Amino acid sequence: MGDKHRRNGRQRVTIDLLRELAASLDALTNAASPHAGLNRTDMRALDIINLQQGLTAGQLAARLKLTTGAITGVLDRLERAGHARRTHDQEDRRRVVIQPTAEAKRFGSVVFRQLGEELDDLLHRYSEPERELIEEFLRSVTTLVARRADELSR
């Protein structure tokens, strides 16, 4: 019973740290939003667009758990701010593809460059196998969180 209790306590610490990370990422988004003239949702959309160039409006809506009507408003604001542009898919002209603009990439670089460098320095403290384990853990957490978001949005 003692080992199980200690293990559950350790897992609770890890889960609590992940929740703290989520709160810190939210705070970063909130702090960066005014610099881009965007709201939180628009900032999350911009981050996804920068990470996954060439996704469709429907894919972006699914990632953010927004309706197609809501995502239209997000994209309108991102286009007006000069951060995104809608283009037609080369293979299926009915599909609209969202691309980040040079301004979006520049903004992302300004906001996240220092953090990226600091994270890079932090990761260099770990061995290659440890970094692979960290990446595997983060991918698994991302999958679990996305799955839970899918369940809640049904």
Side-chain angles (χ1 to χ4, degrees):
M1 184 82 145
D3 279 346
K4 184 178 181 182
H5 181 69
R6 272 194 301 277
R7 187 176 69 223
N8 287 342
R10 197 91 210 108
Q11 290 170 342
R12 174 60 40 209
V13 169
T14 301
I15 291 167
D16 288 349
L17 287 169
L18 287 169
R19 292 174 67 198
E20 285 291 331
L21 174 60
S24 293
L25 290 169
D26 282 346
L28 177 62
T29 299
N30 289 341
S33 295
H35 296 279
L38 300 172
N39 66 40
R40 261 182 106 260
T41 301
D42 297 349
M43 281 294 294
R44 295 303 313 141
L46 180 58
D47 196 30
I48 293 168
I49 291 167
N50 271 325
L51 282 171
Q52 297 187 337
Q53 297 181 29
L55 77 161
T56 66
Q59 290 168 327
L60 182 60
R63 284 286 307 274
L64 291 170
K65 304 299 179 223
L66 295 174
T67 65
T68 54
I71 207 66
T72 298
V74 168
L75 293 174
D76 288 347
R77 289 187 298 276
L78 289 175
E79 278 188 319
R80 275 195 305 273
H83 293 294
R85 69 179 179 280
R86 297 174 180 131
T87 60
H88 289 285
D89 188 320
Q90 300 294 359
E91 295 171 18
D92 183 351
R93 300 282 299 156
R94 295 170 297 177
R95 279 182 15 159
V96 174
V97 177
I98 313 306
Q99 298 287 346
T101 63
E103 171 63 20
K105 292 175 187 174
R106 184 198 64 72
F107 176 75
S109 177
V110 166
V111 170
F112 299 109
R113 181 182 325 126
Q114 182 179 350
L115 179 60
E117 290 170 2
E118 292 168 350
L119 289 171
D120 200 41
D121 290 344
L122 175 64
L123 286 168
H124 274 84
R125 297 180 193 172
Y126 298 93
S127 68
E128 185 63 29
E130 289 171 325
R131 286 193 302 267
E132 289 173 6
L133 181 62
I134 291 167
E135 289 171 9
E136 177 188 339
F137 176 75
L138 291 173
R139 277 190 199 95
S140 296
V141 167
T142 300
T143 299
L144 289 173
V145 170
R147 186 180 311 138
R148 185 64 182 134
D150 287 344
E151 291 168 358
L152 289 171
S153 65
R154 289 185 194 144

